[in-house]
Every structure is written in structure tokens, then in C-alpha cells.
Amino acid sequence: MYVQEVRATSLDGRPGPLVIEDADRLAAFEARVAADEFIEPKDWMPEAYRKTLVRQISQHAHSEIVGMLPEGNWISRAPTLRRKAILLAKVQDEAGHGLYLYCAAETLGTSRDEMTQALLEGRAKYSTIFNYPTLTWADIAAIGWLVDGAAIMNQVPLQRASYGPYARAMVKVCKEESFHQRQGYEAMMALAAGTPEQKAMAQDALDRWWWPSLMMFGPPDDQSPNSEQSMRWRIKRESNDALRQKFVDMTVPQAELIGLSLSDADLKWNKEKGGYDFGTPDWDEFFAVVRGEGPVARERMKARRDAWESGAWVRAAAMAHADKRAARFAA
């Protein structure tokens, strides 16, 4: 039997220990992935593939749950009953997305409790975008338009990810994220067409959220340690830089349509490439936020830890009920 060494990736993205894999099985797996076949939970897969998926899917799930925090804080302060109802529905959707994704990750043999503990202990990450504060109602509109717009750009290719449960979960997630993006843009459009003060508030929110939104696609391709392997395994379908370019090309005309401008002196149309040239995000800021140095990073993690601790009795009651029910059916 021939064997091959491969290196798994831990939940925090750092290289894990070397794992010895059967070379024949590995070759058969690689051939299936290259042929665009779905890998299912009971199929053989290399440990590095499993670990990479757990890291990515759990980070995605954590982001959906943490993403509820800045928006949930504005439900009671939304300016109209209609806006309150829309925002409430959106926050509920995000909770559902987290549930789908945790379930997908659990098919890989990692429990939701393990993933949550990794987050609470700082061994797992969530999207850095949620470590920025929401200062005005316009921030909620900007999040819907820009943050969810960037999320859709990232997530639509995941509907064709090589791991079946992840790809299928993303079908429903993307449909709902599309609604979120449209409601955010509609809210920003209303502000831009309002009073001078409302338009200024919309422009201020756009100025503050533009660069963090570009950072959502991850670091440049030459600084992204996991992208090459993830693309070879068809977990990712497009590179960080390619997705970022698509997002800019989509968003610039939207901003122009409602009379807002993007805070980028280098932004200009490039006829030769058929897209916009744009400036470079502050990658030092990006990596600082990844390290947990974002403006409200501590506040976000405190909220998650508090929720985990205060919800312990609910989890205990649910488990007791499940055990009692299982014993009744076994009798």
C-alpha cells in the first residue's frame, strides 16, 4: 500500500499535524473532485479536506450568528413599523443560516458544542466585518447593501462546492441573502433621496463600510494561505481577488444610481479590462481586526459568551427532554 503525507488545517487556520493518507484513496478522491462530483458525509475523504471544511463551515456559521448582534440592536430603533418587520425577519433568517451551517459541519464529525467552544476560546474565527460598530440607522442599510452583497458574491459559488451538505445548505442561504441585499439597497436609496441630513447620513455610512466590505473577500490571493488548496478541492470556486473585482464592478453603478460616491481616489473605469480599477484596502487594519483588535471585537465576544452561559439551562433542559423521549421509544 502506498501512502502520502498531507497536512490538515486547524480551526484557527494554522497548519495542523502531518497525516498519513492512502495514496490510492487520495488519488480516487482527487479524481472525483476534479470531475465535479459531490463528496457526501459517508464517503472517504482526506483528513485535511475534512479539517478545512470544518474550519470554513464553522467560521461561516459563527459569522451568521455574530452578525445578528449589530442588527438585532436596531430592531427597536428602526424608523418605521415596516423597517422593524423587515429587520426582524432578516435577523431571524441569519439565525436559520447559522443552524443550516452548523448542521452541515456536524456531518463531518464535529459537534456544535465543539465548534462553539472553539469560537469562545478564540481558536475559531468569524467574519471581521462584524467587529465594526453600527452608529446610525444608515449603517443597517449599508450592511444590507454592502455586507450582504459581498456575502452573496462569496456564497453563490459555494452552491457548487464539492462537499454536498455545504453546497445544498447554500442554496437556501443565497436566496435569503439576496433578499437582504435588496432590502438594504432599498433602505439606502430611501435615505439618499431624503433630506440633506438623511443623504449625508447615508454617505457617511457608505464611507465607513466600503473598505471593510472589500476586506470581506479575504486577503490578496498571494497572502491567502488556504485559497490554493481550497480551490483545488473545489471548496472555493473563485479567488479572493476575482470576487472582490466582481463586487466593485457591481456596486459602483449602484452607488452612482442613487447619487452616492465611493471614498476611493483611485476608483476609475478601465476599458481594457472591462472593470474598475480601485485602491488597496488597509491590510494592516484587516489583519489587526482578524487578531481581535476591531472596534467592537471584545463586545461581540462578550455577547456570545454571555449568551452561551445564560443559555446553559435551556440546553440542559433540551437534552433532558431528548433523553426522556429516547428512553420512552426504547421501552
Side-chain angles (χ1 to χ4, degrees), residues 9-326:
T9 304
S10 61
L11 279 172
D12 59 7
R14 291 179 296 183
L18 286 172
V19 177
I20 305 299
E21 299 284 16
D22 182 310
D24 291 338
R25 278 185 160 185
L26 189 59
F29 169 84
E30 298 276 5
R32 289 187 63 195
V33 169
D36 277 336
E37 293 184 29
F38 279 135
I39 305 300
E40 299 296 344
K42 293 184 179 180
D43 294 340
W44 184 89
M45 64 187 74
E47 190 61 23
Y49 178 81
R50 184 187 303 277
K51 294 284 189 183
T52 298
L53 280 168
V54 171
R55 176 188 58 79
Q56 179 170 327
I57 300 173
S58 67
Q59 178 175 315
H60 193 166
H62 298 327
S63 298
E64 297 286 354
I65 300 303
V66 175
M68 297 166 62
L69 297 173
E71 294 178 309
N73 190 41
W74 277 90
I75 292 173
S76 63
R77 295 184 284 166
T80 67
L81 180 59
R82 175 174 176 267
R83 297 292 182 197
K84 292 180 197 296
I86 290 172
L87 187 56
L88 179 61
K90 181 184 178 184
V91 172
Q92 289 175 322
D93 284 348
E94 307 295 5
H97 298 173
L99 175 62
Y100 307 148
L101 292 163
Y102 282 130
C103 289
E106 284 182 313
T107 66
L108 292 157
T110 300
S111 73
R112 196 173 316 181
D113 282 359
E114 289 176 294
M115 289 182 275
T116 302
Q117 284 300 330
L119 173 67
L120 300 181
E121 294 169 8
R123 294 182 289 109
K125 305 294 184 185
Y126 57 88
S127 178
T128 59
I129 196 75
F130 300 119
N131 283 338
Y132 291 88
T134 49
L135 305 180
T136 69
W137 169 251
D139 288 46
I140 302 304
I143 287 174
W145 173 28
L146 300 176
V147 175
D148 291 310
I152 291 170
M153 199 67 67
N154 267 318
Q155 293 170 6
V156 164
L158 293 175
Q159 295 175 104
R160 297 181 293 117
S162 59
Y163 188 59
Y166 193 22
R168 290 188 287 273
M170 292 313 303
V171 173
K172 181 172 176 60
V173 170
C174 286
K175 287 179 180 178
E176 293 175 351
E177 291 290 2
S178 179
F179 160 76
H180 300 167
Q181 191 272 343
R182 288 197 296 272
Q183 67 85 23
Y185 185 61
E186 188 269 337
M188 189 66 95
M189 185 187 302
L191 289 169
T195 66
E197 291 78 9
Q198 288 173 322
K199 185 171 183 178
M201 185 169 65
Q203 183 64 61
D204 174 65
L206 175 55
D207 291 343
R208 286 184 289 105
W209 287 94
W210 175 243
W211 293 107
S213 296
L214 294 189
M215 296 177 194
M216 279 186 69
F217 298 96
D221 293 338
D222 59 2
Q223 298 180 43
S224 181
N226 301 307
S227 286
E228 183 178 354
Q229 180 68 81
S230 291
M231 290 184 70
R232 186 165 68 87
W233 277 335
R234 304 288 204 272
I235 298 172
K236 286 181 65 170
R237 291 284 182 159
E238 296 188 61
S239 71
N240 295 351
D241 290 336
L243 290 169
R244 193 167 10 251
Q245 181 69 59
K246 283 186 177 182
F247 176 72
V248 172
D249 293 343
M250 177 189 76
T251 308
V252 172
Q254 293 175 344
E256 291 175 347
L257 182 65
I258 59 178
L260 299 179
S261 59
L262 299 171
S263 56
D264 183 352
D266 297 323
L267 185 67
K268 62 181 179 182
W269 178 255
N270 185 322
K271 184 177 180 180
E272 290 186 5
K273 75 176 184 181
Y276 287 91
D277 292 331
F278 55 96
T280 302
D282 184 345
W283 293 116
D284 289 339
E285 176 184 318
F286 170 80
F287 287 112
V289 177
V290 168
R291 292 192 301 268
E293 300 169 17
V296 292
R298 289 185 180 142
E299 177 183 324
R300 298 287 184 250
M301 285 309 303
K302 182 180 184 305
R304 288 302 303 129
R305 291 189 182 101
D306 289 349
W308 181 254
E309 292 169 5
S310 64
W313 71 271
V314 178
R315 295 192 300 276
M319 290 304 298
H321 175 72
D323 291 343
K324 184 177 179 180
R325 185 174 171 144

